[in-house]
Amino acid sequence: MGCYNSIIVDAPAERVWSTLRDFHDMSWAPGVVERCEPVGEIPPTQIGARRILNGAFHETLVGLDDRARVLRYSIDDGPDAVSKDNVQGYIGEVRVFPVTEGDASFVVWSSSWESSGGGVAEFCSPIYQALLRSLRDAFA
Amino acid sequence: MGCYNSIIVDAPAERVWSTLRDFHDMSWAPGVVERCEPVGEIPPTQIGARRILNGAFHETLVGLDDRARVLRYSIDDGPDAVSKDNVQGYIGEVRVFPVTEGDASFVVWSSSWESSGGGVAEFCSPIYQALLRSLRDAFA
Amino acid sequence: MGCYNSIIVDAPAERVWSTLRDFHDMSWAPGVVERCEPVGEIPPTQIGARRILNGAFHETLVGLDDRARVLRYSIDDGPDAVSKDNVQGYIGEVRVFPVTEGDASFVVWSSSWESSGGGVAEFCSPIYQALLRSLRDAFA
Amino acid sequence: MGCYNSIIVDAPAERVWSTLRDFHDMSWAPGVVERCEPVGEIPPTQIGARRILNGAFHETLVGLDDRARVLRYSIDDGPDAVSKDNVQGYIGEVRVFPVTEGDASFVVWSSSWESSGGGVAEFCSPIYQALLRSLRDAFA
């Protein structure tokens, strides 16, 4: 199970990745993420870093790769369909690929989970679509 | 080692993939591939299918996945830097990703090899760039 | 969502893979697969090949890679938890890795699906465990 | 290009991974790694952490994933075949897979590089074999 959303961003992969890789900075998504609060002392590129988005999504960085340009995080608890009572083993993943013809980027925001009471993809896909559009607009 | 080239194609992933997956039809790349001759009796979506491109590149289908939209082939012998004397274990890979925002496709043509006498990436990258541009133009 | 099972087989990866890659031959799993009937005319290493296992599991080959040693198939319909009414987008995957220290093989049988009414992992995991044990015993 | 070595370790994947994931501790490989010196202030699970092995191999952590159990690092400079003059774009990767039948682990130590003057696989493979045997013995 999972959801998959993707977009083209008109900037080189290295620039897009350097924006995305900071787990404690989502200022590139105004209107979608109004607050991004660090939790605990672990810095944003160290595995185990934590954050709370919009006071509701509790997330932990589980993987980061600067060469493959991949960031992976768990949602530990959240509102509605991503509450810990409704979904277990939720992992989100953001990956940036270079588009060599034109020096742009292809960005995929996907997720998967182990089990759920339903409604997870329907809840998460519109959020990721909004985040990807914000990312694209940040480089327009 | 390897080479990596990629492009955006303005058509849904399923359409682009259905064009690419036929190992015996490269008519979508006129001017780059003038001849694509099947070798032997194995049909073009069966692993082990063979072809000769432009009378010079001897290739075998080693992997095909309709869900992941990936095609992989070996170059068994060829001209210049991809002759069997210069390169060993050469695998080319074509992969199609859906771009959900806009219903387009992101296509990667990459390759890797085990060992070589040099010059392989320099020889192959311009060919893959020309193929990807042909693919894009075929759907323009 | 998915299930994951794996085993060590005491034979080189190439031998194990040559046994697994034939989509129409599961004679290596007596007692688990009693009947493996080909459906249609597509040969067992061509993408789109079909089979019915034990008169109940309707499966289609969707991916095959002789270099990566991966086979992927869909379950189109089946009994209980894998009936088409209970699960959608079910993909099974078998992959063989060489264990270089000792010339053995590591085999993973995993699966994922897009949505379900529940109970899929609980139903499939014991089957894959039995298949993997049969595979190991076939090379003992 | 690359090298590939792998082994079975008689301990659960979580235990093996918790030993491997600390970029500044290779005390599990006595006799192979005599010294593992941290460089700079970045802690061992933060991307960008650096170390010098045996006074000779200068390495940087480029990727870490606690769910997929993968660690990736660059060799920035080193002796002989892995000197920066002989090899460019060298990435090493250690990955741990659970062996569910028997509660053991399968560990792969692989590497790839962009270009080289030759001799890299021949130089690195014996080192990774020795490291994997040390890892196995640490859990025997």
Side-chain angles (χ1 to χ4, degrees):
Chain A
M1 303 217 186
C3 73
Y4 172 98
N5 291 280
S6 57
I7 205 165
I8 305 301
V9 176
D10 189 20
E14 286 312 321
R15 278 187 62 209
V16 176
W17 174 245
S18 70
T19 295
L20 285 169
R21 75 190 285 278
D22 184 334
F23 197 64
H24 288 157
D25 181 2
M26 293 194 72
S27 62
W28 51 268
V32 183
V33 176
E34 291 167 20
R35 276 184 300 149
C36 176
E37 301 165 70
V39 175
E41 299 299 314
I42 300 179
T45 56
Q46 185 172 345
I47 304 307
R50 289 190 290 150
R51 69 184 178 194
I52 301 174
L53 301 183
N54 291 345
F57 294 81
H58 296 247
E59 302 184 342
T60 302
L61 182 69
V62 300
L64 187 68
D65 191 312
D66 272 350
R67 292 298 173 103
R69 299 181 202 88
V70 185
L71 180 155
R72 303 210 309 149
Y73 60 93
S74 61
I75 298 185
D76 309 313
D77 201 3
D80 302 331
V82 294
S83 71
K84 64 183 174 186
D85 292 335
N86 189 63
V87 70
Q88 292 77 43
Y90 188 99
I91 298 287
E93 177 178 305
V94 189
R95 188 177 286 243
V96 181
F97 296 82
V99 184
T100 59
E101 183 75 21
D103 204 16
S105 299
F106 171 64
V107 183
V108 178
W109 205 307
S110 60
S111 68
S112 62
W113 48 92
E114 287 170 16
S115 59
S116 87
V120 182
E122 295 79 358
F123 181 79
C124 292
S125 267
I127 298 174
Y128 296 151
Q129 288 162 13
L131 286 168
L132 289 171
R133 286 176 195 143
S134 288
L135 183 70
R136 177 192 58 194
D137 294 349
F139 288 97
Chain B
M1 305 217 185
C3 75
Y4 171 98
N5 291 281
S6 58
I7 205 165
I8 305 301
V9 176
D10 189 19
E14 287 312 321
R15 279 187 61 208
V16 175
W17 174 245
S18 70
T19 295
L20 284 170
R21 74 190 284 278
D22 185 335
F23 197 63
H24 288 158
D25 181 4
M26 292 194 72
S27 60
W28 51 268
V32 183
V33 177
E34 291 167 19
R35 275 184 300 150
C36 175
E37 301 165 71
V39 176
E41 298 300 314
I42 301 179
T45 57
Q46 184 171 346
I47 304 308
R50 290 189 290 149
R51 69 184 179 194
I52 301 175
L53 301 183
N54 291 344
F57 294 81
H58 296 247
E59 302 184 342
T60 302
L61 183 69
V62 300
L64 187 68
D65 191 312
D66 272 351
R67 292 297 173 103
R69 300 182 201 88
V70 185
L71 179 154
R72 303 209 309 149
Y73 60 94
S74 60
I75 298 184
D76 309 313
D77 201 2
D80 303 330
V82 294
S83 71
K84 64 184 175 184
D85 292 336
N86 190 62
V87 70
Q88 292 76 43
Y90 188 99
I91 299 287
E93 177 179 306
V94 189
R95 187 178 287 242
V96 182
F97 296 82
V99 183
T100 59
E101 182 75 20
D103 203 17
S105 300
F106 171 63
V107 183
V108 178
W109 205 308
S110 60
S111 68
S112 61
W113 49 92
E114 287 170 16
S115 59
S116 86
V120 182
E122 294 78 359
F123 180 79
C124 292
S125 266
I127 297 174
Y128 297 151
Q129 289 163 12
L131 286 169
L132 289 171
R133 286 176 195 142
S134 288
L135 183 70
R136 178 192 58 195
D137 295 348
F139 286 97
Chain C
M1 303 219 186
C3 74
Y4 171 97
N5 291 281
S6 57
I7 205 165
I8 305 300
V9 176
D10 189 20
E14 286 312 321
R15 279 189 60 209
V16 176
W17 174 244
S18 70
T19 295
L20 285 170
R21 74 190 285 279
D22 185 334
F23 197 64
H24 288 158
D25 181 2
M26 293 194 72
S27 61
W28 52 267
V32 183
V33 177
E34 292 167 20
R35 275 185 300 150
C36 176
E37 301 165 71
V39 176
E41 298 299 314
I42 300 179
T45 56
Q46 185 171 347
I47 304 308
R50 289 189 290 148
R51 69 184 179 194
I52 301 175
L53 300 183
N54 292 343
F57 294 81
H58 297 247
E59 301 183 343
T60 302
L61 182 70
V62 300
L64 187 68
D65 191 312
D66 272 349
R67 291 298 174 103
R69 299 182 203 88
V70 185
L71 179 154
R72 303 209 311 148
Y73 59 94
S74 61
I75 298 185
D76 308 313
D77 201 2
D80 303 329
V82 294
S83 70
K84 65 184 173 183
D85 292 336
N86 190 62
V87 70
Q88 292 76 44
Y90 188 99
I91 298 287
E93 177 177 306
V94 189
R95 187 178 287 243
V96 182
F97 296 82
V99 183
T100 59
E101 183 75 20
D103 204 16
S105 299
F106 171 64
V107 183
V108 178
W109 205 308
S110 60
S111 67
S112 62
W113 48 94
E114 287 171 15
S115 59
S116 86
V120 182
E122 295 78 359
F123 180 79
C124 292
S125 267
I127 298 173
Y128 296 151
Q129 288 163 12
L131 286 169
L132 288 171
R133 286 176 195 143
S134 289
L135 183 70
R136 179 192 57 194
D137 295 348
F139 287 97
Chain D
M1 303 215 188
C3 74
Y4 172 98
N5 292 281
S6 57
I7 205 165
I8 305 300
V9 176
D10 189 20
E14 286 312 320
R15 279 188 62 209
V16 176
W17 174 246
S18 71
T19 295
L20 285 170
R21 75 190 284 279
D22 185 335
F23 197 64
H24 288 157
D25 181 3
M26 292 194 72
S27 61
W28 52 267
V32 184
V33 177
E34 292 167 19
R35 274 183 301 150
C36 175
E37 302 165 70
V39 175
E41 298 299 314
I42 301 179
T45 55
Q46 184 171 346
I47 304 307
R50 290 190 289 148
R51 69 184 180 194
I52 301 174
L53 300 183
N54 291 344
F57 294 81
H58 297 247
E59 303 183 342
T60 302
L61 182 69
V62 300
L64 188 68
D65 191 312
D66 272 350
R67 292 296 174 105
R69 300 182 201 86
V70 186
L71 180 154
R72 303 210 308 149
Y73 60 94
S74 60
I75 298 185
D76 308 314
D77 200 2
D80 303 330
V82 294
S83 71
K84 64 183 174 185
D85 293 335
N86 190 62
V87 70
Q88 292 77 43
Y90 188 99
I91 298 287
E93 177 179 306
V94 189
R95 187 178 287 242
V96 182
F97 296 82
V99 184
T100 59
E101 183 75 20
D103 205 17
S105 299
F106 171 64
V107 183
V108 178
W109 205 309
S110 60
S111 68
S112 61
W113 48 93
E114 287 171 15
S115 58
S116 86
V120 182
E122 295 79 358
F123 180 79
C124 292
S125 267
I127 297 174
Y128 296 151
Q129 289 163 12
L131 287 169
L132 288 171
R133 286 176 196 143
S134 289
L135 183 70
R136 178 192 58 193
D137 295 347
F139 287 97

